[in-house]
Coordinates of all heavy atoms in Angstrom, one line a residue:
L118 N 87.5 126.7 104.3 CA 88.2 127.9 104.1 C 87.4 129.1 103.6 O 87.4 130.2 104.2 CB 89.5 127.7 103.2 CG 90.2 129.0 102.8 CD1 90.9 129.6 104.1 CD2 91.3 128.6 101.8
K119 N 86.6 128.8 102.6 CA 85.8 129.8 102.0 C 84.7 130.3 103.0 O 84.4 131.5 103.1 CB 85.1 129.3 100.7 CG 86.0 129.1 99.5 CD 85.2 128.5 98.4 CE 84.1 129.3 97.9 NZ 83.4 128.7 96.8
E120 N 84.1 129.3 103.7 CA 83.1 129.7 104.7 C 83.7 130.4 105.9 O 83.1 131.4 106.4 CB 82.4 128.4 105.2 CG 81.3 128.6 106.1 CD 80.6 127.4 106.6 OE1 81.0 126.3 106.1 OE2 79.7 127.5 107.4
L121 N 84.8 130.0 106.4 CA 85.4 130.6 107.5 C 85.9 132.0 107.3 O 85.7 132.9 108.1 CB 86.6 129.7 108.0 CG 87.3 130.2 109.3 CD1 86.4 130.1 110.5 CD2 88.6 129.3 109.5
R122 N 86.6 132.2 106.1 CA 87.2 133.5 105.8 C 86.3 134.4 104.9 O 86.6 135.6 104.8 CB 88.5 133.3 105.2 CG 89.6 132.7 106.1 CD 90.0 133.7 107.2 NE 90.0 135.0 106.7 CZ 91.0 135.5 106.0 NH1 92.1 134.8 105.7 NH2 91.0 136.8 105.6
Q123 N 85.3 133.8 104.3 CA 84.4 134.6 103.4 C 85.3 135.2 102.3 O 85.2 136.4 102.0 CB 83.6 135.6 104.2 CG 82.6 135.0 105.1 CD 81.5 134.2 104.4 OE1 80.8 134.8 103.6 NE2 81.4 133.0 104.8
I124 N 86.1 134.4 101.7 CA 87.0 134.9 100.6 C 86.7 134.1 99.3 O 86.3 133.0 99.4 CB 88.5 134.9 101.0 CG1 88.9 133.4 101.3 CG2 88.8 135.8 102.1 CD1 90.3 133.3 101.6
P125 N 86.9 134.7 98.1 CA 86.7 134.0 96.9 C 87.8 133.0 96.6 O 89.0 133.2 97.0 CB 86.7 135.1 95.8 CG 87.5 136.2 96.4 CD 87.2 136.2 97.9
L126 N 87.5 131.9 95.9 CA 88.4 130.9 95.5 C 88.3 130.8 94.0 O 87.2 130.4 93.5 CB 88.2 129.6 96.2 CG 88.9 128.4 95.7 CD1 90.4 128.6 96.0 CD2 88.4 127.1 96.3
V127 N 89.3 131.0 93.2 CA 89.3 130.9 91.8 C 90.2 129.8 91.4 O 91.3 129.7 91.9 CB 89.7 132.2 91.1 CG1 89.8 132.1 89.6 CG2 88.8 133.4 91.5
V128 N 89.8 129.0 90.4 CA 90.6 127.8 90.0 C 91.2 128.1 88.6 O 90.6 128.6 87.7 CB 89.7 126.6 89.9 CG1 90.5 125.4 89.3 CG2 89.2 126.2 91.3
S129 N 92.5 127.7 88.5 CA 93.2 127.8 87.3 C 93.7 126.4 86.9 O 94.5 125.8 87.6 CB 94.4 128.8 87.4 OG 95.3 128.7 86.3
M130 N 93.2 125.9 85.8 CA 93.6 124.5 85.4 C 94.9 124.6 84.5 O 95.0 125.5 83.6 CB 92.5 123.8 84.6 CG 91.3 123.5 85.4 SD 90.0 122.6 84.4 CE 88.9 122.1 85.7
G131 N 95.8 123.6 84.7 CA 97.0 123.6 83.9 C 96.8 122.6 82.7 O 95.7 122.6 82.1
S132 N 97.8 121.8 82.4 CA 97.7 120.9 81.3 C 96.7 119.8 81.6 O 95.9 119.3 80.7 CB 99.1 120.2 81.1 OG 100.0 121.2 80.7
T133 N 96.6 119.3 82.9 CA 95.7 118.3 83.3 C 95.1 118.6 84.6 O 95.7 118.9 85.6 CB 96.4 116.9 83.4 OG1 97.1 116.6 82.2 CG2 95.5 115.8 83.8
A134 N 93.8 118.6 84.6 CA 93.0 118.8 85.9 C 91.8 117.8 85.8 O 90.7 118.3 85.6 CB 92.6 120.2 86.1
A135 N 92.1 116.5 85.9 CA 91.1 115.5 85.6 C 90.7 114.8 86.9 O 91.4 114.8 87.9 CB 91.6 114.5 84.6
S136 N 89.5 114.2 86.8 CA 88.9 113.3 87.9 C 89.0 114.0 89.3 O 88.4 115.1 89.5 CB 89.7 112.0 87.9 OG 88.9 111.0 88.6
G137 N 89.9 113.6 90.2 CA 90.0 114.2 91.5 C 90.5 115.7 91.4 O 90.1 116.5 92.2
G138 N 91.2 116.0 90.3 CA 91.6 117.4 90.1 C 90.4 118.2 89.8 O 90.3 119.3 90.3
Y139 N 89.4 117.7 89.0 CA 88.2 118.4 88.8 C 87.4 118.4 90.0 O 86.7 119.4 90.3 CB 87.4 117.8 87.6 CG 86.3 118.7 87.3 CD1 86.4 119.9 86.5 CD2 85.0 118.5 87.8 CE1 85.4 120.7 86.2 CE2 83.9 119.3 87.5 CZ 84.1 120.5 86.7 OH 83.1 121.3 86.5
Y140 N 87.4 117.4 90.8 CA 86.6 117.3 92.1 C 87.0 118.5 92.9 O 86.1 119.2 93.5 CB 87.0 116.0 92.8 CG 86.1 115.6 93.9 CD1 85.2 114.6 93.8 CD2 86.3 116.2 95.2 CE1 84.4 114.2 94.9 CE2 85.5 115.8 96.3 CZ 84.6 114.8 96.1 OH 83.8 114.4 97.2
L141 N 88.3 118.8 93.1 CA 88.7 120.0 93.8 C 88.3 121.3 93.2 O 88.0 122.3 93.9 CB 90.3 120.0 94.0 CG 90.9 118.8 94.8 CD1 92.4 119.0 94.9 CD2 90.3 118.7 96.1
A142 N 88.3 121.3 91.8 CA 87.9 122.5 91.1 C 86.5 123.0 91.4 O 86.2 124.2 91.3 CB 88.1 122.3 89.6
T143 N 85.6 122.0 91.7 CA 84.2 122.4 92.0 C 84.1 123.3 93.2 O 83.0 123.9 93.4 CB 83.4 121.1 92.2 OG1 83.8 120.4 93.3 CG2 83.4 120.2 91.0
A144 N 85.1 123.4 94.0 CA 85.0 124.3 95.2 C 85.2 125.7 94.8 O 85.0 126.6 95.6 CB 86.1 123.9 96.2
G145 N 85.6 126.0 93.5 CA 85.9 127.3 93.1 C 84.7 128.1 92.7 O 83.7 127.6 92.3
D146 N 84.8 129.4 92.9 CA 83.8 130.4 92.5 C 83.8 130.6 90.9 O 82.8 131.0 90.4 CB 83.9 131.7 93.2 CG 83.8 131.6 94.7 OD1 82.7 131.2 95.1 OD2 84.8 131.8 95.4
A147 N 84.9 130.3 90.4 CA 85.1 130.4 88.9 C 86.2 129.4 88.5 O 87.2 129.3 89.3 CB 85.4 131.8 88.4
I148 N 86.1 128.8 87.3 CA 87.1 127.9 86.8 C 87.7 128.4 85.5 O 86.9 128.6 84.5 CB 86.6 126.5 86.7 CG1 86.1 125.9 88.0 CG2 87.7 125.5 86.1 CD1 85.4 124.6 87.9
F149 N 89.0 128.6 85.4 CA 89.7 129.0 84.2 C 90.5 127.8 83.7 O 91.0 127.0 84.5 CB 90.7 130.1 84.5 CG 90.1 131.5 84.7 CD1 89.3 131.8 85.8 CD2 90.3 132.5 83.7 CE1 88.8 133.1 86.0 CE2 89.7 133.7 83.9 CZ 89.0 134.0 85.0
A150 N 90.5 127.6 82.4 CA 91.2 126.5 81.7 C 91.8 127.0 80.4 O 91.3 128.0 79.8 CB 90.3 125.3 81.6
N151 N 92.7 126.3 79.9 CA 93.2 126.4 78.5 C 92.3 125.6 77.6 O 91.8 124.5 78.1 CB 94.7 126.0 78.4 CG 95.2 126.2 77.1 OD1 95.0 125.4 76.1 ND2 96.0 127.2 76.9
P152 N 92.0 126.0 76.4 CA 91.2 125.1 75.5 C 91.7 123.7 75.3 O 91.0 122.8 75.1 CB 91.2 125.9 74.2 CG 91.5 127.3 74.6 CD 92.4 127.3 75.8
N153 N 93.1 123.6 75.6 CA 93.7 122.3 75.4 C 93.9 121.5 76.7 O 94.5 120.4 76.7 CB 95.1 122.4 74.7 CG 94.9 123.0 73.3 OD1 94.2 122.5 72.5 ND2 95.6 124.2 73.1
T154 N 93.4 122.1 77.8 CA 93.5 121.4 79.1 C 92.8 120.0 79.0 O 91.7 119.9 78.5 CB 92.9 122.2 80.2 OG1 93.7 123.4 80.4 CG2 92.9 121.5 81.5
L155 N 93.4 119.0 79.6 CA 92.7 117.7 79.8 C 92.0 117.7 81.1 O 92.6 117.8 82.2 CB 93.7 116.6 79.7 CG 94.4 116.3 78.3 CD1 95.3 115.1 78.4 CD2 93.3 116.0 77.3
T156 N 90.7 117.6 81.1 CA 89.9 117.6 82.3 C 88.8 116.5 82.1 O 88.9 115.6 81.3 CB 89.3 119.0 82.6 OG1 88.6 118.9 83.9 CG2 88.3 119.4 81.5
G157 N 87.8 116.5 83.0 CA 86.8 115.5 82.9 C 87.2 114.2 83.6 O 87.7 114.3 84.8
S158 N 87.1 113.1 83.0 CA 87.3 111.8 83.7 C 86.6 111.7 85.0 O 87.1 111.4 86.0 CB 88.8 111.6 83.9 OG 89.1 110.3 84.4
L159 N 85.3 112.1 84.9 CA 84.4 112.3 86.1 C 83.9 110.9 86.5 O 83.0 110.4 85.8 CB 83.3 113.2 85.8 CG 83.7 114.6 85.1 CD1 82.4 115.4 84.8 CD2 84.6 115.3 86.0
G160 N 84.5 110.3 87.5 CA 84.1 109.0 87.9 C 85.1 108.4 88.8 O 86.0 109.0 89.3

Side-chain angles (χ1 to χ4, degrees):
L118 170 64
K119 289 176 59 178
E120 180 180 1
L121 181 67
R122 291 294 321 286
Q123 294 295 302
I124 57 177
L126 172 66
V127 177
V128 173
S129 170
M130 292 182 169
S132 299
T133 303
S136 200
Y139 187 81
Y140 193 106
L141 296 183
T143 62
D146 298 298
I148 300 177
F149 283 70
N151 184 281
N153 299 303
T154 295
L155 290 181
T156 186
S158 189
L159 311 176

